[in-house]
Amino acid sequence: MFALRSMLQGTGDSRTPLYFLLGSVVLTTVLDPLLIFGRLGLPELGLNGTAWATLVSQAIALVALNLYLHARRSPIAPGWPRFGQLGPTIRKTLRIGVPAAVQQSVVALGMVVVTGIVNGFGEIATAAFGAASRIDQIAFLPAINMGMAISTLAGQNLGAGHHGRVREIFAWGCVFSGGMTLLISAVAVAFPEALLRVFITDPAVIELGVSYLHTVGACYVFFGLTFVSNGIINGAGATMITTATTLLSLWVVRTPLAYWLSREMRSVKGVWYAIAASFVVSMIAGTAYYTSGRWKRALVQKAPPGDAARQADPAQAFAGEVGEA
């Protein structure tokens, strides 16, 4: 499902995987009580029924999506591989995909280490960090999905030789992603208690969680802007660069700084400042690499000579296309 979703998004279709994913979620919701309590003649599986409901619904969604793609004669409908092209395709997929996979693993491992530092300050700190992190996850969703859209648009235009259009993608990406996360930051800073009470009620935990949102929540906008530059860099296939910036943010800045500040301040709030600082560093590193244009030079070298006008000016390229038509 993830592979098909990625390929559909790569063609600019983000609705189809959304519909099938939504169908899978609805089917899981229906099957959960039936398999847990054994209704309508189905076996009573207890809590294991939830696992079976998820497995069955995702399998059905996957089969249905495959049938749909074949019925629509989609170019990404799964079929037998062309063995003559299999080797180069696998190598290119691994070259782009492995760094991205490592990046996600590094993020997860970094969060484990930071959580371990927080746990050292007791149950209240752990509970506050857990509740605030859930708000982080909600706040980050618009930026993450905007980054995926930017990566798709950048890849399509770079593949077509319209390098000049990437500047517009970057500018509008900053407007949308930055604007959404800035709004979320404002809500998190203005109403932290209301947000935290959705998950916890302990006054001591809420007080510490409020300090987290006042510090980290105020920096959500930097996180949102990071996904704009990273989306373009990933769209150009330079996933090794975004992996390097992630390593810099998490393992050179966040983790060591969280350990040092928390010890110097003798408070878990030092971790909050470290997380906020890592957002800023990640944004600066990603934006600096984008503005350096190094990713673009490599693409220009590979592009055919006839694409020079498109690379320089997307409006001129469009005019040329109209003239040819």
Side-chain angles (χ1 to χ4, degrees):
M1 286 294 291
F2 273 106
L4 291 176
R5 186 187 71 171
S6 298
M7 288 188 286
L8 283 167
Q9 289 174 340
T11 64
D13 181 6
S14 60
R15 294 184 179 182
T16 298
L18 171 64
Y19 296 150
F20 280 90
L21 177 62
L22 181 61
S24 173
V25 172
V26 171
L27 183 58
T28 301
T29 306
V30 173
L31 286 177
D32 270 343
L34 297 180
L35 290 175
I36 290 173
F37 301 108
R39 306 288 171 78
L40 300 180
L42 295 174
E44 182 178 348
L45 301 177
L47 290 180
N48 288 336
T50 302
W52 280 106
T54 302
L55 178 63
V56 170
S57 62
Q58 289 186 354
I60 291 175
L62 176 60
V63 172
L65 180 56
N66 273 279
L67 293 175
Y68 173 82
L69 293 175
H70 281 285
R72 295 292 299 270
R73 297 185 183 276
S74 171
I76 67 167
W80 292 106
R82 299 176 182 177
F83 292 99
Q85 301 177 1
L86 199 56
T89 301
I90 291 176
R91 285 194 295 272
K92 189 172 184 179
T93 301
L94 293 176
R95 181 180 63 82
I96 297 174
V98 168
V102 170
Q103 181 180 350
Q104 296 301 318
S105 300
V106 165
V107 170
L109 184 58
M111 287 304 300
V112 169
V113 175
V114 171
T115 301
I117 297 173
V118 172
N119 291 343
F121 288 91
E123 295 179 357
I124 293 178
T126 301
F129 182 67
S133 295
R134 293 183 183 180
I135 296 172
D136 283 350
Q137 292 171 6
I138 297 172
F140 295 162
L141 283 175
I144 292 172
N145 287 282
M146 186 61 65
M148 293 170 61
I150 289 170
S151 181
T152 298
L153 289 171
Q156 289 175 341
N157 281 280
L158 291 171
H162 302 301
H163 295 184
R165 294 180 183 174
V166 177
R167 292 192 298 270
E168 298 179 24
I169 296 170
F170 178 80
W172 283 108
C174 289
V175 170
F176 286 118
S177 187
M180 286 187 292
T181 48
L182 186 61
L183 178 61
I184 295 171
S185 287
V187 173
V189 172
F191 309 104
E193 291 188 23
L195 295 174
L196 289 166
R197 287 188 184 278
V198 175
F199 305 104
I200 52 177
T201 57
D202 188 324
V205 177
I206 289 177
E207 181 181 358
L208 198 54
V210 167
S211 70
Y212 177 96
L213 291 180
H214 280 164
T215 303
V216 178
C219 296
Y220 285 159
V221 64
F222 298 111
F223 188 86
L225 293 175
T226 298
F227 272 85
V228 178
S229 56
N230 283 0
I232 292 175
I233 295 169
N234 285 332
T239 52
M240 187 65 73
I241 300 300
T242 54
T243 301
T245 57
T246 300
L247 286 169
L248 171 67
S249 173
L250 280 174
W251 293 102
V252 178
V253 177
R254 181 183 298 186
T255 303
L257 193 60
Y259 181 83
W260 181 75
L261 282 178
S262 63
R263 294 301 183 273
E264 287 293 315
M265 298 175 63
R266 296 183 179 180
S267 170
V268 73
K269 293 181 181 179
V271 178
W272 306 169
Y273 291 115
I275 294 173
S278 69
F279 288 169
V280 177
V281 170
S282 183
M283 186 273 292
I284 292 174
T287 304
Y289 186 82
Y290 165 76
T291 54
S292 72
R294 292 182 180 179
W295 56 274
K296 186 177 180 180
R297 292 194 198 107
L299 290 165
V300 170
Q301 291 172 0
K302 295 177 183 178
D307 286 343
R310 293 181 177 180
Q311 296 164 7
D313 187 357
Q316 182 179 351
F318 178 74
E321 291 168 2
V322 173
E324 291 173 4

